Amino acid sequence: MPILTQALQKTAPDQPFRVAEIERRDPRPNDVVIAIKAAGICHSDIHTIRDEWGSAPFPLTVGHEIAGVVEAVGDAVTRHRVGDRVGVGCLVDSCGECEQCLADEEQDCLNGSVGTYASVDRDGTITQGGYSQHVVVDERFVLGIPEGIELDVAAPLLCAGITLYSPIDRWGVGPGQRVAVVGLGGLGHMGVQLAAAKGAEVTVLSRSRAKEALAAELGATRTIATGEEGWDKALRGTFDLILNTVSADLPLDDYLRLLKPHGAMVNVGLPPGPQTLRLGSLIGGGKVLAGSNIGGIRQTQEMLDFCAEHGIGAVIERIGVDDVDAAYDRVVDGDVRFRFVIDTATFPAASR
Ligand code: NAP
Ligand code: ZN
């Protein structure tokens, strides 16, 4: 029997969220049924459900920063037990057989990974995300949340955390390195904490100084306000790595100038439109312009364990299901410290 559960749904990009009852599939032998306790609001949810990345399939529930407790497991499940604290990020399935899946890089599955929402699932249905009371997910895509991290603080790690942990790991961030984090939102505030925990010297490049004190608490050595005249002069040629988390267009040439020779600028922010760039900005100094897409399941678990070990969590503002429309506007205004997390206990009715 499919499971009926409450979810926040939109029927069109310009409609407000409404509470609806949606169906989760009848659990298969390898499935875990999760009672969701907390769901983070990622800017990708906003890009998607406002049709900024193309037409989304409506009606739609978004949310891919999910934390909760295992309520039931299928007969073949071995990795999780009823009562376990677990999380789900941006992925709920992949082929498991291609070169990328075998290398624990399911996000780049050559046969197409299945996203947590707005994606075509194996059975042809459209996946529905985590702004909901329950979700049913194959055990391979369910992460264990270590003791010591509260569920609502853990939820944003499932997307924002892994999205920054992965390039920080790939570029070997460590002591002696200078790292810039551009944009201090949900992703950026994880980047600052993770890069600082790896021992790097971290500079925040934010539009204003409004978040300066909080940036310092997260581990940044300094904050530079990019809205101020001449902000970049003293920074040219100084960074080993720039992590760009900005959800809007940036003048890439100006930022590439801030890299040391052979330095890298890794883009995780995904603004809707095309970007322009002079190739000369890369050629002089042999610089690297790269992108990074979340991370695989093995690395996501590694990130969660790293966060628990280093006392790192998301800095959150808890909200109820009625607050999500207003929260979206605040995220777009850069007015969130630093992630909104929906408390699913505020749904009007228990569905099971
Ligand atoms: P967010 O919380 O809104 O943070 C984005 C930050 O960018 C803002 O806090 C702001 O920082 C800065 N910003 C916003 N508008 C700007 C503008 N016009 N000019 C300059 N800076 C601006 O968003 P998020 O959830 O961290 O997501 C950021 C981006 O990453 C989104 O595009 C999202 O879709 C993408 N994303 C990518 C991946 C991936 O795997 N690659 C995963 C998750 C999300 P300041 O106020 O400090 O300037
Ligand atoms: Zn996300």
Side-chain angles (χ1 to χ4, degrees), residues 41-48 52-53 64-65 90 159-160 162-164 181-189 204-208 210-211 223 226 244-251 255 267-272 291-295 328 330-339:
I41 294 179
C42 175
H43 207 121
S44 300
D45 303 346
I46 303 176
H47 289 311
T48 301
E52 292 170 4
W53 286 339
H64 57 206
E65 296 185 336
C90 304
C159 173
I162 183 60
T163 300
L164 274 296
V181 174
V182 193
L184 196 59
L187 266 56
H189 98 290
V204 168
L205 304 180
S206 187
R207 286 168 295 177
S208 75
K211 303 173 191 170
T223 295
T226 58
N244 174 19
T245 76
V246 172
S247 48
D249 300 346
L250 274 192
Y255 283 83
N267 297 279
V268 291
L270 187 52
S292 191
N293 179 23
I294 47 173
Y328 270 32
R330 283 187 51 200
V331 172
V332 172
D333 287 343
D335 177 27
V336 48
R337 307 288 189 271
F338 285 94
R339 205 50 142 186

Side-chain angles (χ1 to χ4, degrees), residues 238-259:
T238 62
F239 295 115
D240 298 283
L241 181 68
I242 298 175
L243 296 165
N244 174 19
T245 76
V246 172
S247 48
D249 300 346
L250 274 192
L252 293 177
D253 301 290
D254 293 351
Y255 283 83
L256 287 165
R257 228 175 267 140
L258 309 183
L259 289 172

Side-chain angles (χ1 to χ4, degrees), residues 85 144-150 154 301 303-309:
R85 289 152 26 95
I145 294 179
E147 288 306 318
I149 312 184
E150 294 300 321
Q301 189 64 58
M303 175 275 308
L304 288 167
D305 296 341
F306 179 87
C307 286
E309 193 184 318

Side-chain angles (χ1 to χ4, degrees), residues 250-254 256-257 275-284 287 289:
L250 274 192
L252 293 177
D253 301 290
D254 293 351
L256 287 165
R257 228 175 267 140
Q275 307 296 305
T276 57
L277 162 80
R278 286 179 192 282
L279 288 176
S281 304
L282 289 177
I283 290 170
K287 293 167 183 173
L289 182 67

